[in-house]
Amino acid sequence: MVLRAPLKAANCTLGAVQYPKVRFLLSVAGVDQFPEDSGREVAFAGRSNSGKSSAINAILVRNGLARTSKTPGRTKLLNFFEIEPGRRIIDLPGYGYAAAPPDERAQWTTLIEALPLRDSVAGLFVIVDIRRGVSESDAHLFHWATSAGWQLHVLLAKSDKLNQRERALALKDAEGLLGPGMTAQLFSAHDKTGIPAAQKRLNQMLQKESPGGKPPGPD
């Protein structure tokens, strides 16, 4: 299996990144509603109440872009956001929310299982509550992403809730579960820990790549 490896973003540093063109694109309830399969896309997934929506808002520097809620399972559709033409992120419904009706969970499953069929999807961010660690569901998601040929990056969110020693141990434990090409980092939307690093990883995944892994010529 050949992973869609990210190109090195030559102009990407660990300074502040802005996304002036980011906008909500559409919500999808059926596979036939997916946008055109072109450009590059990165999906964001995580257990319910893992801090996924807050992470998206912090990384894209847009408060309220992805809806946050204290009620688990608030995201019920696949939400597409356009960072710039041909560059999108996909906000997936939170998993592990037992109170969701079976038919609703079946709808999510159908949509999510269709994503590997899209050539444009290049990577997956998995948001994990650092206090809970990587769950069995998270690990299954890692395998799913690898099988799809995607790059994978894990955000250990809410890192401000732990002390320095606890954070270091949690990061070491998470990295020990990752395969080749997978990466992980500490993250907190609350105190801004790890935002530049997450932006850099996102930008790498969204870099356009031509067959053979070489940068494309002019469009």
Side-chain angles (χ1 to χ4, degrees):
M1 172 91 39
V2 178
L3 296 179
R4 297 170 190 165
L7 299 178
K8 293 183 178 180
N11 297 323
C12 184
T13 68
L14 291 183
V17 174
Q18 301 293 324
Y19 299 94
K21 298 179 181 179
V22 65
R23 67 184 181 98
F24 170 75
L25 190 61
L26 80 164
S27 292
V28 168
V31 175
D32 59 334
Q33 298 173 348
F34 280 167
E36 180 183 351
D37 188 7
S38 63
R40 299 274 280 190
E41 296 173 335
V42 173
F44 279 69
R47 289 181 61 84
S48 298
N49 212 25
S50 64
K52 173 171 58 69
S53 295
S54 295
I56 291 173
N57 291 335
I59 292 170
L60 297 182
V61 199
R62 286 291 190 281
N63 291 331
L65 184 68
R67 298 183 64 182
T68 60
S69 174
K70 294 185 181 296
T71 303
R74 184 65 178 269
T75 303
K76 298 182 178 180
L77 304 171
L78 267 65
N79 295 315
F80 286 75
F81 300 91
E82 184 180 76
I83 293 180
E84 61 181 55
R87 303 290 182 272
R88 297 175 296 275
I89 70 167
I90 312 169
D91 183 9
L92 306 184
Y95 49 91
Y97 181 46
D103 58 340
E104 193 171 276
R105 294 201 300 271
Q107 179 188 37
W108 300 346
T109 301
T110 299
L111 291 172
I112 292 171
E113 288 182 346
L115 289 178
L117 302 177
R118 291 179 63 80
D119 291 333
S120 53
V121 181
L124 176 70
F125 270 56
V126 179
I127 291 75
V128 173
D129 186 330
I130 193 171
R131 299 169 296 180
R132 295 176 173 81
V134 176
S135 68
E136 184 177 350
S137 297
D138 297 325
H140 283 310
L141 200 59
F142 299 169
H143 177 73
W144 177 67
T146 302
S147 298
W150 299 341
Q151 294 295 308
L152 182 133
H153 187 58
V154 179
L155 297 183
L156 296 174
K158 306 182 183 182
S159 64
D160 59 288
K161 304 294 185 181
L162 301 184
N163 62 38
Q164 184 174 355
R165 179 178 178 277
E166 291 169 333
R167 291 194 296 267
L169 287 174
L171 180 59
K172 182 179 179 180
D173 287 345
E175 289 177 333
L177 298 173
L178 301 180
M182 300 179 181
T183 50
Q185 66 161 102
L186 301 174
F187 186 88
S188 171
H190 177 71
D191 68 7
K192 313 304 182 186
T193 295
I195 290 178
Q199 291 174 330
K200 179 178 181 179
R201 194 70 175 96
L202 175 62
N203 291 345
Q204 288 174 333
M205 289 183 179
L206 289 171
Q207 289 298 303
K208 184 180 293 186
E209 184 179 22
S210 62
K214 297 180 180 180
D219 292 334

